Amino acid sequence: MLNEKDLSILLEVISDDSHPLETATSSFERAFQKTDHFRVMCGMMVLLQDNILTPTQRLVTLFILYSMYKTSSVTANPFFPVFLETVKKPSAPWERNMIGYILSSLPRELLRKPPKECIAALEQPAAHPNPDLDSLQGEWNKRQGDAGSVLGPRHQGVLPASIPDSHESSSSAAQQQGPSLRALAAEGYFRPCSFEPQFLRPAPAVLPPREGEVMWLNPCGTHTVLWDYSMCGDNSRGAQVRELMAKAFKGPLNPAQQQLLLGELESEPKMVYHCGLTPKRLPDLVENNPLIAIDVLLKLMSSQQITDYLSALVNMEMSLHSMEVVNRLTTAVDLPREFVHLYISNCISSCESIRDKYMQSRLVRLVCVFLQSLIRNKIIDVQDLFIEVQAFCIEFSRIREAAGLFRLLKTLE
């Protein structure tokens, strides 16, 4: 129930006799998680019943078992049988008085004292709490009866895993045979472990089949077995494709390697999902091998990850190869309009942010040729980007291609 670590922490909590008794509960709650409280308290109960604690440790343990449920009636406390068992059996006067206070009402001034001073105060003759044990026992029995009516006879027939030795209480021949189960139930004997009667679980009734299930009750006819001929096959082709793709990320492939890779992807289209390409590695493939990137992206158009690949393409650094890939994709398939517009906006922003005049002029020419191709092939509706593209043309009107794009826009107004 308690492992070595739990027991070490618990002994440290209940052995603290330098603080007032009322602080023991907060120390216990800080030492253990809430989900472990009941398990640890069951271990505390066993330590009490086995009489292996010092008087101060017993006092703190009894107080914690009480205070953790002090907001409810004492008979609703799951450890109430422990209190009742302690007050009925021969024990030290301070312990009987402490249980008496627990079963009636604990005085506030007692809780403000350290455990040793509490024991000294409880030993005084003036401490004579006298709870009505019969009434409390009756209320506890009634609660157990209500629980038994809900849980059925199985709850009432639980046999404790450990019972007290009758030789310790009396030497009479009748009691030497051990306490009866009825007596144990009457005393409310409580142990965390018990032997419970087997709970019979009858098999559920067979439901009438639905109309669509009837055919499977008595299957008939000829059924064809589908065999996956690719099982246990030669997977060297897949290894070769992954090897070529790994090279394609690092640099341009020679024409023979390109043809071999494209041929393998064409003969086995599903190989594109296992070739090692990810959205993060797409920009490397576009810059080094744009033709392979176009072919792969066209095969991935029906996949659920195509949005991630297009996002990687949009956000990569603008270059001749990236525009070539986008231009070829737009002529082959219908790309999302938002993707094309975002890519155009990024191209314009890239041109405006370059400080090198030579590189700026070169990229502006590329973008203008790219936009003219999209407009003439009616891939984009220029009205959606008219203001942005017009401002771009005016800013770079000194460049011949920008002036030509501006004239094309005017003809479309």
Side-chain angles (χ1 to χ4, degrees), residues 318 323 347-348 351 363-371 392:
M318 189 198 71
M323 283 191 286
C347 288
I348 293 175
C351 292
L363 288 178
V364 168
R365 291 190 182 95
L366 290 175
V367 172
C368 291
V369 173
F370 172 65
L371 290 176
F392 170 74

Side-chain angles (χ1 to χ4, degrees), residues 179-386:
S180 66
L181 294 181
R182 185 182 299 277
L184 290 172
E187 292 177 11
Y189 193 79
F190 183 80
R191 286 283 184 174
C193 301
S194 60
F195 297 107
E196 302 183 3
Q198 184 181 5
F199 180 53
L200 299 179
R201 299 171 177 84
V206 179
L207 299 176
R210 291 187 176 182
E211 201 172 303
E213 299 173 349
V214 175
M215 61 176 291
W216 298 108
L217 294 178
N218 296 291
C220 58
T222 303
H223 300 279
T224 304
V225 177
L226 298 180
W227 182 258
D228 184 1
Y229 292 96
S230 63
M231 288 194 307
C232 304
D234 183 12
N235 59 358
S236 58
R237 294 174 58 188
Q240 188 177 32
V241 168
R242 286 190 292 272
E243 182 181 353
L244 288 173
M245 188 63 73
K247 293 181 179 179
F249 295 142
K250 299 177 182 179
L253 299 180
N254 59 48
Q257 290 174 327
Q258 286 191 22
Q259 290 300 321
L260 178 59
L261 179 56
L262 293 176
E264 292 292 343
L265 293 176
E266 187 65 30
S267 61
E268 186 59 47
K270 290 185 179 180
M271 189 71 70
V272 73
Y273 299 103
H274 311 287
C275 64
L277 178 64
T278 62
K280 186 177 180 180
R281 308 203 68 175
L282 179 63
D284 294 333
L285 184 63
V286 169
E287 285 302 321
N288 293 308
N289 295 276
L291 294 179
I292 296 176
I294 294 168
D295 186 78
V296 170
L297 287 174
L298 289 175
K299 287 180 169 58
L300 289 170
M301 279 298 165
S302 59
S303 71
Q304 296 180 350
Q305 278 191 302
I306 187 58
T307 303
D308 297 333
Y309 285 104
L310 293 180
S311 298
L313 184 60
V314 165
N315 295 317
M316 69 175 291
E317 186 177 350
M318 189 198 71
S319 65
L320 173 62
H321 285 171
S322 70
M323 283 191 286
E324 179 185 359
V325 171
V326 173
N327 190 34
R328 290 281 298 274
L329 289 177
T330 55
T331 57
V333 294
D334 291 330
L335 293 178
R337 186 172 61 178
E338 297 81 7
F339 160 75
V340 179
H341 289 178
L342 181 58
Y343 183 77
I344 293 173
S345 298
N346 287 350
C347 288
I348 293 175
S349 299
S350 298
C351 292
E352 294 171 346
S353 61
I354 294 178
R355 295 288 177 259
D356 189 310
K357 292 298 183 182
Y358 172 76
M359 289 299 300
Q360 186 181 56
S361 299
R362 183 170 179 272
L363 288 178
V364 168
R365 291 190 182 95
L366 290 175
V367 172
C368 291
V369 173
F370 172 65
L371 290 176
Q372 289 183 43
S373 174
L374 294 180
I375 293 172
R376 288 196 173 96
N377 293 323
K378 298 181 179 180
I379 293 172
I380 62 171
D381 186 355
V382 74
Q383 299 302 324
D384 296 337
L385 298 167
F386 186 84

Side-chain angles (χ1 to χ4, degrees), residues 1-2 7 10-11 14 28 36-53 57-58 60-66 68-69 77-86 89 95 99 140 160-163 187-194:
M1 183 179 298
L2 293 180
L7 185 59
L10 176 61
L11 290 176
I14 64 177
F28 177 81
D36 294 330
H37 284 175
F38 184 76
R39 177 179 61 83
V40 176
M41 286 190 287
C42 287
M44 296 165 66
M45 177 200 64
V46 173
L47 296 177
L48 278 175
Q49 293 176 330
D50 289 343
N51 295 316
I52 60 175
L53 300 178
Q57 290 174 338
R58 289 184 68 85
V60 175
T61 299
L62 287 170
F63 176 70
I64 292 176
L65 293 181
Y66 155 75
M68 293 298 290
Y69 296 92
N77 189 318
F79 302 98
F80 171 78
V82 179
F83 304 143
L84 205 60
E85 178 186 356
T86 304
K89 72 179 183 180
E95 190 168 357
I99 296 296
W140 167 263
S162 176
I163 58 177
E187 292 177 11
Y189 193 79
F190 183 80
R191 286 283 184 174
C193 301
S194 60

